[in-house]
Amino acid sequence: MRRVFVKNRDLVVPGTLLAQGPFKNGRGTFKEGNRVYSTVVGLVEVRNDFIRVIPLEGPYIPEVGDNVIGKIIDVRFSNWTVDIGAPYQAGLRVQDAVEEKIDLVKTDLRKIFDIGDIIYARVKAFNEVNQIDLTTKGMPFNGGPLRGGQIVEITPSKVPRLIGKGGSMINMIKKLTNTRIIVGQNGWVWVNGKQEELEKLAIEAILKVNRESHTQGLTDRVKAFLLERLRELKEQGIVEEIPKPEEGGEK
């Protein structure tokens, strides 16, 4: 017998009974017999026979297929160690970073990725012993390091709000600030602008979304905030013209 004791988007705490029956449980939950409980403070998501809880706070917990931004923190003989903001360090093997075969004896891996480099990667595997494997193959920038810009960290569970419906929020921020932005599902956001003031403005907007993600009318408020700041920058002679935002979109 299937029974769900909560509704989608309900806020739950650790130990809350979520469902009973033949459910598949995802992150933020544990199963005891045929009952599924929450392990975190977060929002419930129920899809058919699958149930999980999206944490409101806490570190990023990887899922296979996630696109993440990471920082190289160690270079070894045949792989790199990467910080992705998870409780455990991730690994990137040579064969998951380059197409051609590499002679490890003759090749200095630091010429591919060096300590401090920022990369955009996909979670290839995450197993029961907390080993996280990444791949950069097929990723933007030809899998190379992200040059310039800054990294902003937001709460991982707020990434969907930053992206917005159909990319509405993030595309608006990109257009109005004339910046390149890549959002990792681990809550790390890379921002790169041609002008320092516009890069800073994009970061302010991203942090505003992070702070106010639970509120209504956020897209309109972020748009108004950006346009007001852009008018100030135009008066100061920092920007020449203000891009016209697209109408509509997510509220």
Side-chain angles (χ1 to χ4, degrees):
M1 180 180 175
R2 287 163 47 102
R3 187 177 177 190
V4 179
F5 300 98
V6 291
K7 298 190 295 291
N8 253 329
R9 307 295 293 172
D10 272 1
L11 179 65
V12 296
V13 298
T16 301
L17 175 61
L18 306 175
Q20 181 176 309
F23 284 91
K24 296 176 183 175
N25 61 307
R27 70 167 69 174
T29 69
F30 74 95
K31 209 165 187 180
E32 193 172 87
N34 68 344
R35 294 187 167 200
V36 181
Y37 298 87
S38 173
T39 61
V40 296
V41 175
L43 301 176
V44 176
E45 184 178 281
V46 183
R47 292 184 183 175
N48 300 320
D49 64 344
F50 179 78
I51 189 166
R52 68 173 180 168
V53 178
I54 303 170
L56 289 182
E57 300 294 343
Y60 164 67
I61 304 300
E63 282 192 359
V64 173
D66 281 357
N67 291 338
V68 299
I69 290 174
K71 182 177 183 180
I72 303 292
I73 57 174
D74 194 15
V75 183
R76 300 182 179 179
F77 176 69
S78 63
N79 70 316
W80 297 267
T81 304
V82 188
D83 178 12
I84 59 171
Y88 328 101
Q89 294 172 350
L92 173 63
R93 298 177 297 178
V94 169
Q95 59 265 40
D96 291 322
V98 295
E99 296 291 345
E100 68 272 16
K101 192 171 182 179
I102 296 290
D103 185 337
L104 294 173
V105 176
K106 298 179 180 178
T107 304
D108 183 355
L109 293 190
R110 290 175 297 181
K111 292 181 179 179
I112 303 173
F113 293 125
D114 201 356
I115 291 173
D117 279 352
I118 303 299
I119 65 170
Y120 188 41
R122 181 172 294 112
V123 177
K124 183 180 179 181
F126 179 44
N127 62 26
E128 62 277 0
V129 294
N130 299 321
Q131 177 181 332
I132 307 168
D133 293 330
L134 304 177
T135 178
T136 57
K137 286 184 177 179
M139 302 300 285
F141 301 92
N142 296 317
L146 301 176
R147 301 296 186 190
Q150 299 185 57
I151 296 293
V152 187
E153 294 185 34
I154 67 171
T155 305
S157 62
K158 297 178 181 179
V159 165
R161 195 70 182 92
L162 175 61
I163 294 171
K165 188 176 182 180
S168 57
M169 179 74 82
I170 198 66
N171 287 333
M172 178 187 68
I173 296 173
K174 286 181 186 178
K175 182 175 180 180
L176 290 179
T177 61
N178 192 25
T179 53
R180 292 193 298 170
I181 302 175
I182 295 180
V183 183
Q185 286 166 278
N186 56 334
W188 290 20
V189 185
W190 178 73
V191 183
N192 187 8
K194 294 179 180 178
Q195 289 182 262
E196 183 182 355
E197 289 298 329
L198 291 179
E199 186 175 284
K200 288 180 180 177
L201 181 56
I203 291 172
E204 286 184 58
I206 289 166
L207 294 176
K208 181 178 179 67
V209 173
N210 188 52
R211 289 193 306 271
E212 303 176 20
S213 62
H214 60 288
T215 61
Q216 296 292 321
L218 182 58
T219 302
D220 285 341
R221 287 203 311 282
V222 172
K223 183 191 294 184
F225 162 76
L226 287 171
L227 290 174
E228 181 180 353
R229 291 296 307 278
L230 285 167
R231 281 191 288 268
E232 293 173 1
L233 293 175
K234 185 178 180 181
E235 290 173 1
Q236 296 167 18
I238 295 173
V239 299
E240 293 183 3
E241 60 179 278
I242 301 173
K244 186 176 180 182
E246 295 178 3
E247 296 300 324
E250 181 195 21
K251 303 301 180 186

